Amino acid sequence: MRRSSSPGCNAKGLHFGRIHTFYLVQSGKKINDLPKEKPFTDLILDWCKDVMHPYHIDEVYGELTDEQFDLGDMTAELAVRDATFSLHTFMEELGKLYDTARFYTALMRICEGDSDETYDMYDEDKRFPGLPYLERYKHSMRAPKNIDVSAAKGDLLKEMQIECAYMEAHPSEQPKEGDYAAEPFDDYDRLRDLLMESVPDFRLRLKLSPKTGRMTFAVDVDSVFEIAWLTLAHMMSEDPIEEHHGGSHEGLTGVMMTCRHCGDFFIRRNNRQEYCDKEKCQKARNAKNQREFRNRKRMLKAGKKMQTEENYNGKA
């Protein structure tokens, strides 16, 4: 594990958070894309080596940067003790963050009118199956008034799972595979609320700034996942999803998107960027732009031809 600077929650700290949130979520995608029979621990170890230690950030950072730190004595043993973490806990927290980030970008696509791209977001065969909030729109929906959801005890996720199970047990005429039976955007307010509920609460408290020695009122973070959740929440508030409605792809820079070609996450550098920087994705972007240019040219030519024929027939 390498030494790194302790993260803050100011503008510089948020930039730090964006970069590491991207790497963390992208690592989740890499792990999720692996077949279940293939090991994934090396991907987690590589992430820790290349980025930072995921837990007890202040303690581990303080121990490693202490002037008396020595690999040959007890200070190193204390650092190893505090730096040891559960792989199961890491995977559980990574799954929650990754699934929520996917739902966030999926809802953004829905607002842009591209709900088809979100159809396969939930997959029970994956390590991180995703959030099932869009599954209900794949089925011809009956009014759920007569469905008993009391067993969910007010849990919205469990209510939706009960409703999905009911509809599967009482099938009706369904759309073809790949098509939604109902448009998810029509239920946007509910989906937005579910997204917000997926983000955990944050704890504010007085802390001592290591740089100034002064007290500061800040969010209490002790793991890279808490930093990532805070960063994701900032992204959601800075670039409201509903502003993407109507096909407008313009938005703020510095927010996390998914590439329209490969599906990987990336941090947007300009307000119209929709593809990541990989060569194959830039080729796909250029090909798409050329197709759209040729289509506009053909439509313009067809329009001029139609206008000429109308003018000729009018004179005749």
Side-chain angles (χ1 to χ4, degrees):
M1 181 182 66
R2 69 180 186 182
R3 302 185 190 190
S4 63
S5 59
S6 180
C9 292
N10 53 19
K12 184 177 180 181
L14 287 174
H15 175 71
F16 169 95
R18 294 180 205 277
I19 298 301
H20 291 297
T21 299
F22 157 70
Y23 282 123
L24 190 58
V25 172
Q26 186 59 25
S27 293
K29 183 179 185 301
K30 288 180 180 179
I31 291 174
N32 210 39
D33 287 344
L34 282 176
K36 278 191 173 181
E37 63 273 12
K38 287 196 173 183
F40 56 85
T41 51
D42 286 346
L43 290 175
I44 297 177
L45 290 174
D46 289 343
W47 186 90
C48 292
K49 291 176 183 177
D50 295 339
V51 184
M52 65 184 296
H53 189 274
Y55 295 103
H56 309 302
I57 294 171
D58 290 338
E59 290 86 347
V60 174
Y61 171 75
E63 290 166 350
L64 293 179
T65 56
D66 191 289
E67 293 181 356
Q68 299 184 15
F69 177 81
D70 189 336
L71 288 172
D73 63 21
M74 187 172 291
T75 57
E77 294 180 12
L78 291 174
V80 169
R81 182 200 65 187
D82 292 336
T84 302
F85 62 91
S86 163
L87 185 62
H88 173 76
T89 300
F90 183 95
M91 285 291 288
E92 186 176 27
E93 295 199 61
L94 179 61
K96 291 177 182 178
L97 176 69
Y98 173 65
D99 287 344
T100 301
R102 290 180 64 206
F103 184 49
Y104 165 58
T105 56
L107 194 52
M108 193 179 296
R109 294 298 187 211
I110 288 170
C111 286
E112 293 172 353
D114 295 331
S115 51
D116 289 347
E117 292 189 15
T118 70
Y119 190 85
D120 295 324
M121 191 188 77
Y122 181 71
D123 187 349
E124 292 181 340
D125 293 329
K126 292 286 189 178
R127 286 190 176 94
F128 309 137
L131 299 176
Y133 298 143
L134 299 178
E135 291 298 290
R136 63 182 297 174
Y137 305 103
K138 295 179 180 181
H139 309 282
S140 295
M141 299 180 66
R142 298 184 178 90
K145 295 179 181 178
N146 298 324
I147 301 178
D148 182 10
V149 295
S150 58
K153 297 181 179 178
D155 188 309
L156 290 175
L157 175 57
K158 291 182 179 179
E159 285 183 10
M160 296 185 77
Q161 290 173 335
I162 291 172
E163 291 172 1
C164 287
Y166 176 87
M167 288 184 284
E168 288 177 1
H170 303 80
S172 60
E173 185 177 351
Q174 301 297 327
K176 65 180 181 180
E177 183 68 22
D179 288 346
Y180 282 113
E183 178 53 52
F185 183 78
D186 293 340
D187 209 10
Y188 168 75
D189 287 349
R190 178 182 175 86
L191 293 172
R192 178 203 57 203
D193 291 347
L194 288 168
L195 173 63
M196 290 192 296
E197 289 176 8
S198 300
V199 178
D201 295 332
F202 304 105
R203 178 173 175 256
L204 286 169
R205 71 178 180 91
L206 281 173
K207 301 180 72 173
L208 196 64
S209 171
K211 292 183 178 179
T212 65
R214 296 171 62 89
M215 288 189 294
T216 180
F217 197 52
V219 177
D220 192 22
V221 294
D222 191 43
S223 76
V224 70
F225 291 104
E226 291 169 336
I227 295 173
W229 281 117
L230 180 62
T231 304
L232 187 60
H234 270 282
M235 289 182 184
M236 293 178 186
S237 62
E238 289 176 354
D239 190 28
I241 294 174
E242 57 267 22
E243 293 186 4
H244 293 256
H245 181 42
S248 173
H249 306 305
E250 294 189 7
L252 297 177
T253 59
V255 299
M256 191 163 54
M257 305 278 291
T258 50
C259 176
R260 286 190 175 272
H261 182 66
C262 71
D264 281 358
F265 289 86
F266 68 94
I267 301 295
R268 184 167 51 191
R269 294 194 314 275
N270 63 70
N271 63 357
R272 295 186 64 84
Q273 185 180 2
E274 297 183 80
Y275 293 80
C276 70
D277 291 334
K278 290 196 287 292
E279 183 178 355
K280 65 177 183 179
C281 299
Q282 288 301 306
K283 286 182 178 179
R285 180 184 70 84
N286 292 332
K288 171 180 171 290
N289 290 341
Q290 290 174 5
R291 286 195 302 271
E292 291 178 348
F293 173 76
R294 288 194 296 268
N295 288 337
R296 288 195 300 269
K297 195 172 181 180
R298 279 197 295 267
M299 290 176 66
L300 181 61
K301 186 176 180 180
K304 287 181 178 179
K305 181 179 179 181
M306 185 178 298
Q307 185 65 44
T308 301
E309 291 176 350
E310 289 177 353
N311 291 340
Y312 176 80
N313 292 332
K315 290 180 181 179

